[in-house]
Amino acid sequence: MTAHLNYPALELPAIGNGSATVIADGVFWLRMPMGGSLEAINLWALADGDGWTIVDTGLRTTETTAAWRQAFASTLADRPVRRIIVTHLHPDHSGMAGWLAQKQPARLWMTRLEYLTLRVLASYTGQEAPEEAIRFYQTVGWEEDALDHYRARFGDFGKMLYPLPDSFRALEDGQRLIIGGREWVIVVGKGHSPEHAMLHCPEMKLLISGDQVLPEISSNVSVQPLEPEADPLTDWLETLKAIRQRVPDDVLVLPAHGKPFHGLHARIGALIDGHEAGLARLLTLVETPKRAIDVFPALFKRQIDRSVLGLATGESLAHLACLRSRGLVTEEVDAAGIRWWRALGTI
């Protein structure tokens, strides 16, 4: 999934101290801590009249809270946040939205399906894992120790975000927002999440891409127990092709992880080619029937341990579902309820 990208010579903002790098007139780049392999999430502060529009908010942690306080004292100059835009539901993007909305005269803006799905997932906090979800993972071949780990971790999602505001403003594909006197167009993508919002400013040639297009990694695209028959990878690939048609190649891409870059169309091509190559390897592997947990070698170079088993399983199911939509594989369930996938043809 490599592509030749151009990275402008921008100073990398320190993580978590509230400092920022100026990207363009009125556009500021901040980084908040995440921990783990991703290290940080990029957030964007857009000057907007006498205040700010904030795009994405960071995880709910004491470190992020402290970083926001420092940002208000320095970069944001204690000017009010007027609007909070969350690109999609994942906690590194939505986690501090409730906190900001409590502290500032700001309305939360999200696409409708992202907001409603986020509320559903947050409602699981403190609950036991549903039997339907346990059966879902049993059918793909998880052993009892993996199921116990899932049961123990279930409901942790809501712990990574502050309680959401009880109302919001809906973002829609093609919607035009005036921020700081400039027009930003909402471009909605699917696959990584239900209705991921990107922001394109034609005047400044900027695209805030969230997780939809990242410079170094491909975002996770997974089938989840909440929608077990979904085909998110087809949605993902179709979205990437649509972005290439709708957004010019001369934009500076402002991603959620990694550094801003030029080369949007090349990166999209590399992402599509990478997934198509994975689908081809997967189709060869399932010439002999396989469970979802048996196909990891076709899609991942790393060893899959318990910490990433859920992500890997969801991604494998997404690729299998994509092949099924293309009429290339079939699914059979054995007497024990285990799902087996078998190739019907070739790509």
Side-chain angles (χ1 to χ4, degrees):
M1 297 187 187
T2 58
H4 178 70
L5 305 179
N6 177 264
Y7 295 93
L10 296 168
E11 182 179 354
L12 199 64
I15 298 172
N17 73 353
S19 65
T21 292
V22 178
I23 295 292
D25 182 31
V27 179
F28 295 80
W29 171 24
L30 302 94
R31 293 199 301 161
M32 298 294 182
M34 280 193 58
S37 59
L38 288 179
E39 185 182 36
I41 178 171
N42 300 327
L43 312 180
W44 312 98
L46 311 179
D48 195 4
D50 65 348
W52 300 94
T53 288
I54 299 297
V55 183
D56 287 335
T57 67
L59 284 169
R60 176 186 180 173
T61 65
T62 55
E63 293 80 8
T64 306
T65 304
W68 270 117
R69 294 188 189 282
Q70 289 179 298
F72 277 107
S74 56
T75 298
L76 304 183
D78 286 323
R79 289 157 52 193
V81 174
R82 300 297 187 187
R83 178 165 34 194
I84 304 162
I85 295 177
V86 171
T87 59
H88 64 296
L89 62 85
H90 295 142
D92 51 329
H93 300 260
S94 64
M96 294 291 289
W99 183 87
L100 283 169
Q102 288 177 0
K103 305 292 183 183
Q104 297 291 317
R107 173 77 76 178
L108 172 63
W109 295 62
M110 296 180 71
T111 61
R112 185 170 288 108
L113 193 52
E114 293 287 336
Y115 176 81
L116 296 176
T117 306
L118 179 55
R119 290 196 70 95
V120 169
L121 296 175
S123 73
Y124 292 156
T125 306
Q127 295 188 18
E128 296 292 323
E131 281 305 312
E132 189 170 345
I134 297 300
R135 288 196 299 273
F136 173 84
Y137 287 117
Q138 286 173 330
T139 65
V140 302
W142 278 20
E143 300 292 343
E144 195 60 34
D145 63 335
L147 294 171
D148 284 341
H149 182 70
Y150 175 75
R151 291 185 182 99
R153 295 289 303 277
F154 187 81
D156 284 357
F157 183 96
K159 298 175 183 177
M160 294 183 284
L161 63 150
Y162 275 86
L164 290 168
D166 290 321
S167 64
F168 75 111
R169 286 285 299 270
L171 296 171
E172 297 182 357
D173 189 46
Q175 183 176 359
R176 285 161 160 70
L177 302 179
I178 302 301
I179 304 173
R182 295 186 174 92
E183 184 176 85
W184 293 77
V185 182
I186 302 300
V187 181
V188 170
K190 298 181 179 181
H192 176 61
S193 64
E195 287 180 347
H196 184 302
M198 294 163 280
L199 290 86
H200 174 216
C201 182
E203 179 183 341
M204 291 195 290
K205 298 182 179 180
L206 298 176
L207 176 69
I208 298 177
S209 66
D211 281 349
Q212 198 73 41
V213 182
L214 300 175
E216 297 175 358
I217 61 174
S218 178
S219 296
N220 181 260
V221 179
S222 281
V223 174
Q224 302 287 347
L226 188 64
E227 192 180 356
E229 301 304 320
D231 179 9
L233 185 57
T234 294
D235 290 338
W236 170 258
L237 294 172
E238 289 178 353
T239 288
L240 290 175
K241 294 171 184 176
I243 296 169
R244 191 162 53 187
Q245 293 296 317
R246 295 176 60 182
V247 181
D249 195 35
D250 61 359
V251 294
L252 176 63
V253 181
L254 308 180
H257 307 284
K259 295 184 290 186
F261 67 93
H262 287 287
L264 173 66
H265 290 189
R267 182 57 182 151
I268 287 173
L271 287 167
I272 293 171
D273 291 347
H275 282 289
E276 291 293 346
L279 288 166
R281 294 191 300 270
L282 180 58
L283 187 60
T284 298
L285 186 62
V286 297
E287 288 176 357
T288 302
K290 298 288 190 301
R291 303 167 298 175
I293 63 167
D294 299 325
V295 304
F296 295 159
L299 301 175
F300 309 109
K301 294 179 180 179
R302 64 171 290 180
Q303 186 71 27
I304 302 302
D305 57 26
R306 193 169 64 179
S307 67
V308 294
L309 178 61
L311 293 174
T313 299
E315 185 106 10
S316 295
L317 287 167
H319 283 74
L320 290 163
C322 182
L323 290 176
R324 180 179 59 197
S325 294
R326 296 180 182 186
L328 297 174
V329 300
T330 188
E331 178 187 1
E332 299 166 352
V333 181
D334 66 18
I338 305 300
R339 302 161 67 189
W340 295 85
W341 299 81
R342 176 174 56 84
L344 293 174
T346 56
I347 294 179

